[in-house]
Amino acid sequence: MTETPAKHEVDTPAAEALAQTQNPTAAITDFGIDTTSMSTGEALRDYFARLRAGELGSLPSLFGLLVLVILFSALSDNFFTLANIANVFPQGAGVIIIAMGIVFVLLLGEIDLAAGVASGTAASVMALHYVHAGNLLGTLGSGVFVTFIAVLAAAMLLSAYQRIWGGAALSLVGLLIVAIGVPANAWLEILLAICVGTAIGCITGFLVSKIGMPSFVVTLALFIVWQGVLLQFIGEGGTIGITNSDVLYKIANGNLNVVGSWIFFLVAAGGFAVITLLSHFRRLQRGLVVQPTTLVLVKVGALVVLSALGTWLLTVNRSPNKAVVTIQGIPYVIPIMLVLLVAGTYVLNRTKYGRYVYAVGGNKEAARRAGIDVPKIRASVFVIGSAVAAIGGIVAASKVGSVSPQSGGLNTLLYSVGAAVIGGTSLFGGKGRVADAVVGGLVIAVVINGLGLLKQPAAVVNIVTGLVLLLAATVDALSRRRAAASAR
C-alpha cells in the first residue's frame, strides 16, 4: 500500500486565506487529515529550505538591527548604556505605531502618503481641545468650526454607507465631543484624537474604494490638504504645548514603577507562554499539525528569559545623577506598542477579516470571485491605518511636549513607510505582519539614535536611512523573484 505524503502548509498567508475563503469545507477537511507533524530536525531543514526559496520574512531586518547595535556600540561609548537603550523606544515609538497601521494598507498593495500629517492633524485637535478647555468654536472661529463639523459628519455618513460601522461610530463620537464642547480631559482628548484619525481614514477609504482613485493620488492630495489644515489650526510658526497635562506628557516620557514593570512582565511574557503552550498542546491532542514541541518550548523559554532580563535592566536606576534623580521602570510606550502589536496580530492571523485582507492583497480579482466585499476591505484598511496613525501622533506629540505645523511631516511619513518595508512587509501586497513595523521601526530608531550620538548632521542621517530602505526594498524584490522561481 502506498503511503500518502503529508500535506504541507500553504506557503503564504494570502494564498491560505484565499484557499479557505473559496472552499471553507475543503480547508476544514485538509486540517482534519493533515496529522503528520515534523520532527525537530525536519522542521529546521524545512525552515532553511524556505529561506533558500526566498521566504526571508523579518530575518534580514533582524540581522541588520544586530549589526547596527554592534557597530554603534563600537563607535560610541554612550550607545550601549541603559539610559540610551531605554530612550530608543520612546524616540521611535511614534514612527513604529504609525507603521503598524500602514502595514494594513501595504498588505493590499496600496499606499497612504497622508498617514503622517493625519497623525499630526489628530494630535493638533487633541491639543487645541485640551488647551482651550473644549471650546473649539471660540478657538477656530465659526467658519472653520462649522467646516470641521461638516467633515466629521461626512466621514460618519461615508463610513456608514460602506458599512464600516466602527469608523462610523468613532466619527460620530468625535463629532459629538466637538459639537457639544465637552470640557477638557486628558483621556477624552486621546479619544478625540483617535476619532479624528478614524474620520480621516473614512474619507480616504471612500475615495480609494468607491470612487476608484489610485491611493497614491488620493493620499498625496490629502497629504497637502491635511498639511493646510494643520497650518489653519495652529498657524505658521505656532506651537501648542501639552506639558501642563501630566497624563498627555507622560505617555512618551513616563515609566512604570518597579512593581508595575514586573507585573507587566508577568502579564505579557506569562500570558504569551500560557496561550502559546495551551494552543500547542490542544492542537497536539486533536492530532493537528504543530511545530515540534522542543522548538515551541525553546521559543517560549527564550522569550521569557529575554523579557525577564530586559525588565530587570529597565528597573535599574538609569539616571545620570543617581543621588538626585531616580529614573527606572519600563517606559509607558512599550506596553502601548505591545497592546497594538497583539491586537493587530490577532486581527490579521485569527479573524475572518484578517484572512480577507491577505486574500485581497494576494489576488484582488480572485478574492472578489470568492465572494469577498473587496471595496469594503480596501476602505477599511485606510480607516485602521489612520486611526492607528492618530495614536502615533499622540505619542509623538507627548515625546516633544507640543504640536506644531511640522508635526507628522514628511520625514515622519517616510520613516513610517520605511519601517514597515524594512521589517519585511511587501510593497506588492499580500505579505507582511504587524511585527514587521516594530522591527523596521527599531532599525530606523537605532540609526537615528546612533548617528545622533556620533554627532552626524541631518544630511548623513537621511542618506543612511534612505540606503537602509533601499536595501530592504531590494531584498524584498529579490526574495519574491527567488520564491517565484522556486515555485515553478
Side-chain angles (χ1 to χ4, degrees):
M1 182 176 178
T2 304
E3 184 179 355
T4 304
K7 295 177 181 288
H8 288 83
E9 293 182 358
V10 184
D11 289 337
T12 65
E16 180 183 0
L18 187 57
Q20 294 184 22
T21 301
Q22 290 173 321
N23 194 347
T25 305
I28 294 171
T29 304
D30 284 346
F31 279 113
I33 64 174
D34 192 2
T35 58
T36 304
S37 297
M38 290 182 285
S39 65
T40 302
E42 290 172 334
L44 291 173
R45 286 193 294 272
D46 179 69
Y47 173 71
F48 287 112
R50 285 187 282 113
L51 288 181
R52 289 192 297 271
E55 297 179 34
L56 301 178
S58 298
L59 190 61
S61 54
L62 288 170
F63 177 75
L65 181 61
L66 177 62
V67 170
L68 288 170
V69 168
I70 295 173
L71 177 64
F72 287 128
S73 298
L75 295 176
S76 172
D77 295 333
N78 296 322
F79 179 80
F80 207 69
T81 60
L82 280 178
N84 187 62
I85 295 299
N87 197 38
V88 167
F89 290 96
Q91 281 181 339
V95 166
I96 291 173
I97 292 172
I98 296 173
M100 288 182 183
I102 289 178
V103 165
F104 283 81
V105 179
L106 293 179
L107 283 173
L108 265 61
E110 306 284 359
I111 190 68
D112 189 354
L113 300 177
V117 287
S119 72
T121 301
S124 71
V125 175
M126 172 191 75
L128 282 170
H129 194 273
Y130 180 79
V131 170
H132 296 281
N135 183 18
L136 287 183
L137 174 59
T139 303
L140 300 177
S142 57
V144 176
F145 180 79
V146 170
T147 303
F148 183 42
I149 291 290
V151 170
L152 291 175
M156 178 191 68
L157 294 174
L158 293 175
S159 189
Y161 171 69
Q162 298 171 96
R163 292 179 292 111
I164 303 174
W165 305 116
L170 285 174
S171 298
L172 175 60
V173 170
L175 172 63
L176 293 175
I177 292 173
V178 173
I180 295 173
V182 179
N185 175 278
W187 298 104
L188 182 73
E189 310 310 336
I190 293 172
L191 174 61
L192 177 59
I194 296 173
C195 291
V196 172
T198 302
I200 290 173
C202 293
I203 295 171
T204 307
F206 175 80
L207 294 174
V208 172
S209 67
K210 289 297 184 182
I211 304 300
M213 299 171 63
S215 59
F216 180 89
V217 176
V218 171
T219 56
L220 177 61
L222 290 178
F223 172 90
I224 301 171
V225 169
W226 302 129
Q227 188 70 68
V229 170
L230 261 173
L231 285 170
Q232 179 65 47
F233 282 177
I234 300 177
E236 290 191 51
T239 300
I240 306 174
I242 57 172
T243 54
N244 58 338
S245 169
D246 194 52
V247 172
L248 295 179
Y249 183 70
K250 282 190 174 181
I251 289 174
N253 298 287
N255 306 291
L256 295 170
N257 58 34
V258 174
V259 174
S261 297
W262 283 110
I263 291 175
F264 171 69
F265 159 75
L266 292 175
V267 172
F272 172 80
V274 170
I275 292 172
T276 301
L277 293 177
L278 284 178
S279 175
H280 173 78
F281 288 111
R282 189 182 298 119
R283 289 177 62 86
L284 200 60
Q285 289 176 351
R286 295 175 180 175
L288 301 177
V289 170
V290 293
Q291 288 186 330
T293 302
T294 303
L295 288 182
V296 173
L297 292 175
V298 168
K299 288 180 181 179
V300 171
L303 185 137
V304 170
V305 170
L306 290 175
S307 299
L309 178 61
T311 302
W312 174 70
L313 290 174
L314 289 174
T315 54
V316 174
N317 186 7
R318 53 184 181 270
S319 171
N321 192 350
K322 294 180 175 57
V324 179
V325 180
T326 299
I327 303 176
Q328 57 187 155
I330 294 176
Y332 287 132
V333 293
I334 293 181
I336 292 172
M337 288 190 294
L338 184 61
V339 168
L340 292 172
L341 173 62
V342 171
T345 301
Y346 177 82
V347 167
L348 288 177
N349 293 350
R350 299 292 183 179
T351 67
K352 181 171 67 175
Y353 172 78
R355 293 196 297 272
Y356 286 176
V357 169
Y358 279 118
V360 174
N363 191 320
K364 182 169 63 178
E365 179 58 24
R368 184 190 66 79
R369 294 188 180 188
I372 297 176
D373 188 346
V374 174
K376 180 179 178 180
I377 297 298
R378 292 182 71 201
S380 66
V381 296
F382 287 98
V383 176
I384 293 173
S386 293
V388 176
I391 299 175
I394 296 168
V395 172
S398 172
K399 181 59 183 173
V400 298
S402 64
V403 182
S404 71
Q406 287 72 45
S407 296
L410 189 59
N411 276 354
T412 301
L413 165 70
L414 297 180
Y415 288 159
S416 299
V417 176
V421 176
I422 290 170
T425 300
S426 176
L427 288 168
F428 303 100
K431 188 184 80 170
R433 303 171 303 165
V434 178
D436 296 341
V438 179
V439 178
L442 286 176
V443 170
I444 292 178
V446 166
V447 169
I448 296 173
N449 178 275
L451 292 177
L453 290 176
L454 296 175
K455 303 187 185 304
Q456 295 298 315
V460 175
V461 175
N462 286 342
I463 290 171
V464 173
T465 306
L467 290 175
V468 170
L469 175 57
L470 185 62
L471 179 61
T474 302
V475 170
D476 176 42
L478 292 177
S479 63
R480 277 184 165 267
R481 182 185 301 177
R482 183 68 177 270
S486 300
R488 293 194 185 103

PDB file of all heavy atoms in Angstrom, residues 4 63 72 83 96 111 126 133 159 177 185 188 209 218 224 249 279 445 457:
ATOM      1  N   THR A   4       0.519   7.842   1.689  1.00  0.00           N
ATOM      2  CA  THR A   4       0.197   9.191   1.204  1.00  0.00           C
ATOM      3  C   THR A   4       1.093  10.208   1.888  1.00  0.00           C
ATOM      4  O   THR A   4       1.167  10.241   3.122  1.00  0.00           O
ATOM      5  CB  THR A   4      -1.270   9.543   1.507  1.00  0.00           C
ATOM      6  OG1 THR A   4      -2.091   8.538   0.915  1.00  0.00           O
ATOM      7  CG2 THR A   4      -1.623  10.906   0.952  1.00  0.00           C
ATOM      8  N   PHE A  63      18.806  40.807  11.367  1.00  0.00           N
ATOM      9  CA  PHE A  63      20.261  40.739  11.203  1.00  0.00           C
ATOM     10  C   PHE A  63      20.841  42.151  11.092  1.00  0.00           C
ATOM     11  O   PHE A  63      21.874  42.467  11.697  1.00  0.00           O
ATOM     12  CB  PHE A  63      20.609  39.929   9.954  1.00  0.00           C
ATOM     13  CG  PHE A  63      22.083  39.862   9.659  1.00  0.00           C
ATOM     14  CD1 PHE A  63      22.921  39.063  10.402  1.00  0.00           C
ATOM     15  CD2 PHE A  63      22.623  40.619   8.624  1.00  0.00           C
ATOM     16  CE1 PHE A  63      24.285  39.016  10.144  1.00  0.00           C
ATOM     17  CE2 PHE A  63      23.977  40.579   8.352  1.00  0.00           C
ATOM     18  CZ  PHE A  63      24.823  39.776   9.117  1.00  0.00           C
ATOM     19  N   PHE A  72      27.338  50.622  16.353  1.00  0.00           N
ATOM     20  CA  PHE A  72      27.246  51.850  17.143  1.00  0.00           C
ATOM     21  C   PHE A  72      27.814  51.657  18.545  1.00  0.00           C
ATOM     22  O   PHE A  72      28.325  52.616  19.141  1.00  0.00           O
ATOM     23  CB  PHE A  72      25.793  52.327  17.222  1.00  0.00           C
ATOM     24  CG  PHE A  72      25.277  52.915  15.938  1.00  0.00           C
ATOM     25  CD1 PHE A  72      24.099  52.470  15.372  1.00  0.00           C
ATOM     26  CD2 PHE A  72      25.976  53.927  15.292  1.00  0.00           C
ATOM     27  CE1 PHE A  72      23.612  53.016  14.190  1.00  0.00           C
ATOM     28  CE2 PHE A  72      25.512  54.470  14.104  1.00  0.00           C
ATOM     29  CZ  PHE A  72      24.333  54.015  13.547  1.00  0.00           C
ATOM     30  N   ALA A  83      20.516  54.055  29.898  1.00  0.00           N
ATOM     31  CA  ALA A  83      19.751  55.269  29.629  1.00  0.00           C
ATOM     32  C   ALA A  83      19.451  55.419  28.149  1.00  0.00           C
ATOM     33  O   ALA A  83      18.326  55.763  27.758  1.00  0.00           O
ATOM     34  CB  ALA A  83      20.506  56.491  30.141  1.00  0.00           C
ATOM     35  N   ILE A  96       6.993  53.902  14.849  1.00  0.00           N
ATOM     36  CA  ILE A  96       6.648  52.477  14.887  1.00  0.00           C
ATOM     37  C   ILE A  96       5.139  52.280  14.891  1.00  0.00           C
ATOM     38  O   ILE A  96       4.594  51.437  14.168  1.00  0.00           O
ATOM     39  CB  ILE A  96       7.279  51.807  16.115  1.00  0.00           C
ATOM     40  CG1 ILE A  96       8.809  51.741  15.966  1.00  0.00           C
ATOM     41  CG2 ILE A  96       6.718  50.402  16.324  1.00  0.00           C
ATOM     42  CD1 ILE A  96       9.537  51.255  17.203  1.00  0.00           C
ATOM     43  N   ILE A 111      -0.997  52.412  -0.756  1.00  0.00           N
ATOM     44  CA  ILE A 111      -0.062  53.293  -0.052  1.00  0.00           C
ATOM     45  C   ILE A 111      -0.851  54.434   0.572  1.00  0.00           C
ATOM     46  O   ILE A 111      -1.876  54.854   0.033  1.00  0.00           O
ATOM     47  CB  ILE A 111       1.021  53.848  -1.016  1.00  0.00           C
ATOM     48  CG1 ILE A 111       2.131  54.565  -0.236  1.00  0.00           C
ATOM     49  CG2 ILE A 111       0.398  54.752  -2.059  1.00  0.00           C
ATOM     50  CD1 ILE A 111       2.977  53.677   0.595  1.00  0.00           C
ATOM     51  N   MET A 126      -6.467  67.359  19.375  1.00  0.00           N
ATOM     52  CA  MET A 126      -6.340  66.976  20.785  1.00  0.00           C
ATOM     53  C   MET A 126      -5.770  68.129  21.607  1.00  0.00           C
ATOM     54  O   MET A 126      -6.315  68.476  22.672  1.00  0.00           O
ATOM     55  CB  MET A 126      -5.422  65.752  20.891  1.00  0.00           C
ATOM     56  CG  MET A 126      -5.056  65.352  22.305  1.00  0.00           C
ATOM     57  SD  MET A 126      -3.723  64.109  22.386  1.00  0.00           S
ATOM     58  CE  MET A 126      -2.294  65.141  21.988  1.00  0.00           C
ATOM     59  N   ALA A 133      -9.935  74.268  26.813  1.00  0.00           N
ATOM     60  CA  ALA A 133     -10.999  73.765  27.682  1.00  0.00           C
ATOM     61  C   ALA A 133     -12.222  73.281  26.909  1.00  0.00           C
ATOM     62  O   ALA A 133     -13.355  73.451  27.345  1.00  0.00           O
ATOM     63  CB  ALA A 133     -11.396  74.841  28.693  1.00  0.00           C
ATOM     64  N   SER A 159     -18.648  56.345   5.977  1.00  0.00           N
ATOM     65  CA  SER A 159     -18.301  55.073   6.594  1.00  0.00           C
ATOM     66  C   SER A 159     -19.532  54.190   6.756  1.00  0.00           C
ATOM     67  O   SER A 159     -19.485  52.979   6.526  1.00  0.00           O
ATOM     68  CB  SER A 159     -17.645  55.320   7.955  1.00  0.00           C
ATOM     69  OG  SER A 159     -17.126  54.130   8.485  1.00  0.00           O
ATOM     70  N   ILE A 177     -18.271  65.152  20.614  1.00  0.00           N
ATOM     71  CA  ILE A 177     -17.332  65.792  21.544  1.00  0.00           C
ATOM     72  C   ILE A 177     -17.051  67.228  21.113  1.00  0.00           C
ATOM     73  O   ILE A 177     -17.049  68.165  21.929  1.00  0.00           O
ATOM     74  CB  ILE A 177     -16.019  65.000  21.627  1.00  0.00           C
ATOM     75  CG1 ILE A 177     -16.242  63.648  22.294  1.00  0.00           C
ATOM     76  CG2 ILE A 177     -14.957  65.795  22.405  1.00  0.00           C
ATOM     77  CD1 ILE A 177     -15.025  62.740  22.270  1.00  0.00           C
ATOM     78  N   ASN A 185     -10.441  67.027  29.110  1.00  0.00           N
ATOM     79  CA  ASN A 185      -9.973  65.953  29.972  1.00  0.00           C
ATOM     80  C   ASN A 185      -8.937  65.174  29.178  1.00  0.00           C
ATOM     81  O   ASN A 185      -9.156  64.870  28.010  1.00  0.00           O
ATOM     82  CB  ASN A 185     -11.141  65.043  30.383  1.00  0.00           C
ATOM     83  CG  ASN A 185     -10.690  63.847  31.192  1.00  0.00           C
ATOM     84  OD1 ASN A 185     -10.245  62.851  30.629  1.00  0.00           O
ATOM     85  ND2 ASN A 185     -10.807  63.945  32.510  1.00  0.00           N
ATOM     86  N   LEU A 188     -10.154  62.073  27.526  1.00  0.00           N
ATOM     87  CA  LEU A 188     -11.115  62.425  26.480  1.00  0.00           C
ATOM     88  C   LEU A 188     -10.390  62.936  25.238  1.00  0.00           C
ATOM     89  O   LEU A 188     -10.793  62.655  24.103  1.00  0.00           O
ATOM     90  CB  LEU A 188     -12.091  63.483  26.990  1.00  0.00           C
ATOM     91  CG  LEU A 188     -13.188  63.902  26.014  1.00  0.00           C
ATOM     92  CD1 LEU A 188     -14.227  62.806  25.880  1.00  0.00           C
ATOM     93  CD2 LEU A 188     -13.852  65.190  26.483  1.00  0.00           C
ATOM     94  N   SER A 209     -11.783  53.337  -2.563  1.00  0.00           N
ATOM     95  CA  SER A 209     -12.550  52.122  -2.858  1.00  0.00           C
ATOM     96  C   SER A 209     -13.808  52.374  -3.684  1.00  0.00           C
ATOM     97  O   SER A 209     -14.144  51.583  -4.563  1.00  0.00           O
ATOM     98  CB  SER A 209     -12.930  51.420  -1.555  1.00  0.00           C
ATOM     99  OG  SER A 209     -13.844  52.209  -0.807  1.00  0.00           O
ATOM    100  N   VAL A 218      -4.776  59.924  -4.272  1.00  0.00           N
ATOM    101  CA  VAL A 218      -5.675  60.367  -3.198  1.00  0.00           C
ATOM    102  C   VAL A 218      -4.886  60.810  -1.978  1.00  0.00           C
ATOM    103  O   VAL A 218      -5.098  61.906  -1.437  1.00  0.00           O
ATOM    104  CB  VAL A 218      -6.650  59.238  -2.808  1.00  0.00           C
ATOM    105  CG1 VAL A 218      -7.433  59.618  -1.545  1.00  0.00           C
ATOM    106  CG2 VAL A 218      -7.607  58.953  -3.944  1.00  0.00           C
ATOM    107  N   ILE A 224      -1.399  67.106   1.237  1.00  0.00           N
ATOM    108  CA  ILE A 224      -1.367  68.567   1.108  1.00  0.00           C
ATOM    109  C   ILE A 224      -2.531  69.203   1.861  1.00  0.00           C
ATOM    110  O   ILE A 224      -2.382  70.232   2.528  1.00  0.00           O
ATOM    111  CB  ILE A 224      -1.401  68.967  -0.383  1.00  0.00           C
ATOM    112  CG1 ILE A 224      -0.199  68.354  -1.114  1.00  0.00           C
ATOM    113  CG2 ILE A 224      -1.410  70.478  -0.543  1.00  0.00           C
ATOM    114  CD1 ILE A 224      -0.248  68.496  -2.621  1.00  0.00           C
ATOM    115  N   TYR A 249       1.663  64.238  28.780  1.00  0.00           N
ATOM    116  CA  TYR A 249       3.113  64.353  28.679  1.00  0.00           C
ATOM    117  C   TYR A 249       3.817  63.049  29.042  1.00  0.00           C
ATOM    118  O   TYR A 249       4.837  62.689  28.450  1.00  0.00           O
ATOM    119  CB  TYR A 249       3.618  65.474  29.606  1.00  0.00           C
ATOM    120  CG  TYR A 249       5.106  65.709  29.501  1.00  0.00           C
ATOM    121  CD1 TYR A 249       5.665  66.275  28.353  1.00  0.00           C
ATOM    122  CD2 TYR A 249       5.949  65.350  30.541  1.00  0.00           C
ATOM    123  CE1 TYR A 249       7.038  66.478  28.252  1.00  0.00           C
ATOM    124  CE2 TYR A 249       7.320  65.558  30.457  1.00  0.00           C
ATOM    125  CZ  TYR A 249       7.862  66.119  29.298  1.00  0.00           C
ATOM    126  OH  TYR A 249       9.213  66.315  29.206  1.00  0.00           O
ATOM    127  N   SER A 279      -2.336  26.400  23.291  1.00  0.00           N
ATOM    128  CA  SER A 279      -2.713  26.208  21.887  1.00  0.00           C
ATOM    129  C   SER A 279      -1.946  25.042  21.273  1.00  0.00           C
ATOM    130  O   SER A 279      -2.514  24.221  20.543  1.00  0.00           O
ATOM    131  CB  SER A 279      -2.442  27.493  21.103  1.00  0.00           C
ATOM    132  OG  SER A 279      -2.692  27.305  19.729  1.00  0.00           O
ATOM    133  N   ALA A 445      15.048  53.722  14.322  1.00  0.00           N
ATOM    134  CA  ALA A 445      15.322  54.419  15.579  1.00  0.00           C
ATOM    135  C   ALA A 445      16.783  54.276  15.992  1.00  0.00           C
ATOM    136  O   ALA A 445      17.412  55.237  16.463  1.00  0.00           O
ATOM    137  CB  ALA A 445      14.405  53.880  16.681  1.00  0.00           C
ATOM    138  N   PRO A 457      25.392  65.099  10.967  1.00  0.00           N
ATOM    139  CA  PRO A 457      24.347  66.038  10.561  1.00  0.00           C
ATOM    140  C   PRO A 457      23.125  65.320   9.996  1.00  0.00           C
ATOM    141  O   PRO A 457      23.163  64.127   9.676  1.00  0.00           O
ATOM    142  CB  PRO A 457      25.036  66.886   9.486  1.00  0.00           C
ATOM    143  CG  PRO A 457      26.116  66.010   8.945  1.00  0.00           C
ATOM    144  CD  PRO A 457      26.589  65.185  10.100  1.00  0.00           C
TER     145      PRO A 457
END
